[in-house]
Amino acid sequence: MSFDASEYGRHVAEVYDEAYAHLTPDAAVERLAALADGGPVCEFGIGTGRLALPLVARGLTVAGIEGSPEMVAGLREKPGGDAIEVAVGDFAETRVPGEFALVVLAFNTIFALPDQAAQVACFRNAAAHLRPGGRFVVEAWVPDPGAFRAGGALRPVRVAEDAVLLEAALLHPAEQRMTTTKVRLSSAGVQLLPANHRYAWPAELDLMAELAGLRREHRWADWTGRPFTDDSRDHVSVYRRPERA
Ligand SMILES: C[S@@+](CC[C@H](N)C(=O)[O-])C[C@H]1O[C@@H](n2cnc3c(N)ncnc32)[C@H](O)[C@@H]1O
């Protein structure tokens, strides 16, 4: 399957910050800073720096890999955005120089890769960036078989006085794929944010980590560290490279 790591940003870069301005990064940044323990961080899919810039503000060294030149341009426009080293390319295979204490892949972006093989390659690439004892953190949603039964879905993501964000999704359970477009309605008009997902359950991600030589250290329901339970709709999973091979 042909895959273009720059496609998401081409559609979304112009409206990304505005559409997700309601997502406060504080809990994620707090947790990531604790997991990095002072060491350098590499963010896969660094985007416009929603997480990376606050991490830099905390004194951490941050680098990134990003498929979209438009998203990187958005990062560069922000104060401090110029100082972050970013390699433009697919995070399943692109390398940035250095050994990192922490590799981050947030906001469901592991699912942006088109198939299982690419996701396994991404785990291997994350492991290759880690120093011994380093961590790979993945934030993703948990597939919901009930929601998938009907084959499609339309759901409100955010309803506020100034804007409404809806998500229309077509689901392809046999291939664990979801075609989705978020629709943002505001006084600025209608904006479309398309994204395709190859989703996976947490247990499959754990196996990908094992294949990459990583072991799961934590799984929480969110960045605040709430326990992961039967009802959890998202997870934050932390995988660790052993201190010794
Ligand atoms: C949902 S955004 C998240 C951005 C940022 N991490 C955040 O939390 O705001 C996903 C980002 O990953 C990038 N991306 C998606 N697939 C990619 C790939 N295979 N390789 C590199 N970047 C990719 C997109 O261009 C986009 O900037």
Side-chain angles (χ1 to χ4, degrees):
M1 188 185 294
S2 78
F3 173 68
D4 177 1
S6 70
E7 189 179 347
Y8 175 87
R10 207 162 34 248
H11 295 292
V12 170
E14 211 172 295
V15 298
Y16 184 86
D17 285 352
E18 200 185 339
Y20 294 117
H22 61 284
L23 294 181
T24 45
D26 302 1
V29 170
E30 185 78 38
R31 177 67 63 184
L32 292 169
L35 291 168
D37 199 20
V41 178
C42 181
E43 187 177 0
F44 285 10
I46 192 169
T48 58
R50 187 180 67 94
L51 300 174
L53 288 169
L55 287 169
V56 170
R58 282 175 167 252
L60 292 165
T61 299
V62 180
I65 301 173
E66 172 53 52
S68 160
E70 292 91 345
M71 294 293 274
V72 177
L75 168 69
R76 297 290 185 229
E77 279 169 12
K78 296 179 184 171
D82 257 348
I84 297 179
E85 179 175 4
V86 179
V88 174
D90 182 349
F91 54 56
E93 54 194 33
T94 303
R95 286 295 307 263
V96 283
E99 278 210 317
F100 295 86
L102 186 70
V103 174
V104 184
L105 184 47
F107 208 2
N108 313 312
T109 305
I110 181 72
F111 298 158
L113 290 166
D115 52 34
Q116 188 188 59
Q119 291 168 351
V120 169
C122 173
F123 270 80
R124 291 200 162 114
N125 196 29
H129 282 82
L130 289 176
R131 68 189 187 192
R135 295 177 166 108
F136 180 37
V137 181
V138 177
E139 177 196 22
W141 47 273
V142 178
D144 175 0
F148 288 14
R149 206 164 292 130
L154 179 67
R155 64 179 188 108
V157 178
R158 179 172 179 257
V159 180
E161 281 182 8
D162 58 335
V164 171
L165 191 61
L166 306 169
E167 182 174 43
L170 270 183
L171 304 156
H172 317 283
E175 295 174 1
Q176 292 183 205
R177 282 193 311 106
M178 179 169 93
T179 313
T180 133
T181 294
K182 290 204 178 81
V183 183
R184 185 170 188 271
L185 308 166
S186 72
S187 57
V190 179
Q191 295 156 334
L192 301 177
L193 296 86
N196 295 326
H197 281 187
R198 188 275 167 184
Y199 57 83
W201 276 266
E204 188 182 352
L205 299 180
D206 291 351
L207 274 177
M208 293 182 192
E210 290 277 340
L211 290 172
L214 304 174
R215 274 285 155 88
R216 179 151 65 83
E217 183 181 33
H218 301 289
R219 170 159 291 134
W220 299 297
D222 60 23
W223 290 108
T224 68
R226 274 195 308 125
F228 183 77
T229 69
D230 293 351
D231 297 322
S232 299
R233 301 275 34 98
D234 300 280
H235 64 104
V236 172
S237 298
V238 182
Y239 301 98
R240 195 148 193 198
R241 182 179 158 183
E243 289 287 352
R244 272 181 232 143

